Amino acid sequence: MDVLNIRVPASLAAQWRAWLAPPRQPFFLTAGEEERLGFPCLPRVEAAWTEVERDTFTVWRITQEADRVTWLTWNDWDALSPSVQRELLRLQVRHGRGNVPLGRHYADLLPGLPAERLLWRPEHLTPEVLARIVAADGQACQRAQVPQRVWEQAAPVLPRVRELAGTFSDGVGNCFGAVMGAAGVADAEGQWVVREPFEAFLRERARPGGRDDAPGTLLVWRSAAGSVQHAALTLGGGWAFEKPAQTWWTPRVVLPVRQLIKANRAPGQRLGRSVLNPA
């Protein structure tokens, strides 16, 4: 299976199915909705999330007032009346939960699928459906267009970038980890690297300057207050490498450097450049 010009092994596709159609799912409610619907809930602040659950259900996007959460298995879900199921799905969309697809967006791939909001079941998640879900907001990786000489020139300063370019994570990883992994930091690409260790990496391995047409220029976007928001790397020859977002469905891609910079423009953020020194 290919997604965004990236070959996806069967083992990873099986993980995606398990993440999108898990044996139990969270449903977010306000206190009033909990009382009205009668579901046993716990405070959202007491819930523990895996990295995959956080991404799949966009936990960071849940509205503040939906401060209660209930977990339902497939047996629990199937025991609900259709009207209660519809109400729960409507509330999840209102509260910002992810993984509540509209069936009509997949009608060409799954004839007979209801047009309204639904929950994915494992049997829905064919390779074609998985590819559409994962590719929905992504940009196709252009790794195959990078000349051999560009990879060779980048290798001294970015020893692992060719290995990581055009790959998906196994569920954990963000832009900072992808940059550090490409620069040779062991296993960084498979970690949730927060701002402090990334800033330490910048102090140790980078110095101000850099050109977009040279290998090893760190592109770092910061907020108006100076907080680092995103990072990418140039390969040279007009190419750049990044993991565009923190989510598990976001691959590590190669894009033309100007295209990458344009895609990352955001109000209130500024782009700075540093030269990455070899490890």
Side-chain angles (χ1 to χ4, degrees), residues 38-73:
F39 289 106
C41 294
L42 70 153
R44 198 172 95 203
V45 295
E46 296 180 9
W49 307 100
T50 67
E51 288 85 355
V52 166
E53 289 170 343
R54 178 201 60 216
D55 288 350
T56 302
F57 304 111
T58 58
V59 174
W60 66 86
R61 203 171 64 192
I62 304 300
T63 56
Q64 185 174 1
E65 60 268 22
D67 59 356
R68 315 291 293 172
V69 60
T70 188
W71 291 83
L72 300 180
T73 66

Side-chain angles (χ1 to χ4, degrees), residues 251-272:
R252 309 173 188 108
V253 298
V254 173
L255 298 170
V257 65
R258 302 316 302 172
Q259 179 180 336
L260 184 149
I261 289 172
K262 182 178 180 181
N264 283 290
R265 288 175 182 161
Q269 294 185 19
R270 58 181 174 83
L271 171 61

Side-chain angles (χ1 to χ4, degrees), residues 100 124 159 248:
V100 192
H124 293 147
W248 59 255

Side-chain angles (χ1 to χ4, degrees), residues 48-127:
W49 307 100
T50 67
E51 288 85 355
V52 166
E53 289 170 343
R54 178 201 60 216
D55 288 350
T56 302
F57 304 111
T58 58
V59 174
W60 66 86
R61 203 171 64 192
I62 304 300
T63 56
Q64 185 174 1
E65 60 268 22
D67 59 356
R68 315 291 293 172
V69 60
T70 188
W71 291 83
L72 300 180
T73 66
W74 284 115
N75 286 338
D76 297 330
W77 180 257
D78 290 338
L80 300 176
S81 68
S83 62
V84 173
Q85 290 178 351
R86 289 192 295 270
E87 171 77 353
L88 270 178
L89 293 174
R90 182 181 63 80
L91 291 173
Q92 298 320 289
V93 174
R94 175 190 294 176
H95 296 321
R97 202 200 93 158
N99 201 28
V100 192
L102 273 168
R104 64 173 173 267
H105 291 167
Y106 302 87
D108 59 321
L109 302 178
L110 296 169
L113 195 69
E116 63 268 16
R117 297 284 177 179
L118 51 82
L119 300 180
W120 288 126
R121 293 182 182 264
E123 60 269 24
H124 293 147
L125 297 168
T126 64

Side-chain angles (χ1 to χ4, degrees), residues 233-248:
L233 286 163
T234 63
L235 305 180
W239 297 97
F241 165 85
E242 71 167 346
K243 188 176 190 298
Q246 65 187 18
T247 48
W248 59 255

Side-chain angles (χ1 to χ4, degrees), residues 4-26:
L4 297 171
N5 292 338
I6 297 169
R7 188 66 182 165
V8 178
S11 58
L12 182 56
Q15 283 186 300
W16 289 353
R17 290 187 186 92
W19 296 341
L20 290 164
R24 66 172 197 149
Q25 297 193 27

